[in-house]
């Protein structure tokens, strides 16, 4: 199986009303080349999914995903959204973003349960992992990445591992303007590749590793050239069509 081409995913976080989301989607579609050489994915807030799906008008250049989901298929979980509810619009669901882990106290076990829910609903999970500034300072980066990635992937059937994408997002680089160094990203990617192969019981080149954290059109060429990285998870810059499409252009071979 050949290595998959790069994926550029835009995590809109808690930004954009449905009307604003429709405008941004239309702007992105207008700026993308007719045949992008990367996979493009938008991750709008839940209430925008249907609108963005409509604004895409079946545009095959752009995939749609969600930023999170609940781990149960249904039940008395006020305010929550199940993976099955998302499957009408989404091909991917992000799980384990550091904002979920930190602000909403999601454990490795919760993230794993969510990842399994995504797979049960026939979608592809993007598992986000990354060390905090304190963990980095104390030399714990490797341990944190191995723990989070193992908790997410090991024990899944190989064919399910192959449906996953892993996003390396050092927490200290998210929204700070201080991206990681390509050398550090490559080192993290190598660690994560080891866990992916452990989980897949062998080569799993089709599982992409993304980098996320202060990716801009300016920083993208260096960040995306890091060894072992096949794309980016973009936060702030994904809210601007020129910036987001600039990153997709920078990621094109
Ligand atoms: P950022 O966010 O690009 O704004 O740093 C990345 C993310 O949180 O996925």
């Amino acid at each position: 199986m050949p290595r998959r081409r790069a994926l550029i995913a835009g995590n809109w976080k808690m930004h954009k009303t449905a009307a604003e989301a429709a405008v941004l989607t239309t702007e992105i579609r207008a700026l993308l080349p007719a045949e992008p050489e990367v996979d493009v994915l938008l991750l709008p807030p839940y209430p925008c999914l249907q609108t963005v799906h409509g604004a895409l008008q079946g545009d095959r250049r752009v995939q749609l995903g969600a930023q999170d989901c609940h781990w149960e298929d249904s039940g008395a979980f006020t305010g929550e959204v199940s993976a099955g509810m998302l499957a009408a619009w989404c091909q991917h669901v992000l799980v384990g973003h550091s904002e979920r882990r930190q602000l909403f106290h999601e454990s490795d076990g919760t993230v794993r349960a969510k990842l399994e829910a995504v797979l049960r609903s026939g979608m592809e999970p993007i598992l986000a992992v990354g060390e905090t500034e304190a963990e980095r300072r104390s030399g714990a980066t490797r341990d944190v990445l191995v723990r989070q990635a193992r908790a997410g992937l090991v024990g899944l059937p190989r064919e399910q591992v192959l449906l996953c994408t892993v996003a390396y997002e050092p927490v200290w680089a998210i929204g700070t303007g201080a991206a990681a160094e390509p050398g550090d990203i490559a080192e993290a990617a190598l660690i994560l590749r080891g866990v992916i192969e452990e989980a897949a019981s062998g080569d799993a080149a089709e599982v992409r590793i993304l980098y996320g954290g202060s990716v801009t059109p300016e920083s993208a060429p260096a960040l995306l050239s890091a060894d072992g990285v096949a794309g980016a998870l973009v936060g702030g810059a994904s809210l601007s069509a020129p910036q987001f499409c600039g990153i997709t252009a920078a990621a094109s071979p």
Side-chain angles (χ1 to χ4, degrees), residues 7 17 34-35 54 56 68 88 121 128 143 156 179 194 200 207-208 216 225-226 240 243:
L7 170 67
T17 62
E35 300 200 5
L56 286 173
D68 188 31
S121 294
D143 289 349
L156 292 175
V207 176
R208 286 180 286 209
T216 62
S225 71
S240 146
Q243 287 199 38

Side-chain angles (χ1 to χ4, degrees), residues 11 13 97 99 169 173-176 212-215 233-237:
N11 173 12
K13 308 194 180 184
H97 189 280
E99 286 150 18
E169 296 210 303
I174 294 177
T176 60
S214 298
V215 179
L233 183 53
V234 184

Side-chain angles (χ1 to χ4, degrees), residues 70 72-78 80 82 85:
H70 196 265
E72 293 288 350
D73 296 332
S74 63
F77 301 103
T78 300
E80 291 293 320
S82 74
M85 294 169 183

Side-chain angles (χ1 to χ4, degrees), residues 123-192:
M123 296 176 290
E124 301 188 2
I126 301 174
L127 170 68
V129 300
E131 81 286 1
T132 64
E133 173 72 45
E135 288 163 343
R136 178 166 84 128
R137 278 178 198 272
S138 68
T141 298
R142 168 182 291 272
D143 289 349
V144 171
L145 297 184
V146 168
R147 192 198 77 228
Q148 292 182 344
R150 275 204 179 127
L153 300 175
V154 171
L156 292 175
R158 174 176 164 82
E159 62 273 16
Q160 292 196 337
V161 175
L162 299 184
L163 295 173
C164 295
T165 298
V166 178
Y168 170 54
E169 296 210 303
V171 179
W172 47 271
I174 294 177
T176 60
E181 295 294 330
D184 293 336
I185 299 171
E187 207 172 303
L190 193 62
I191 293 167
L192 294 171

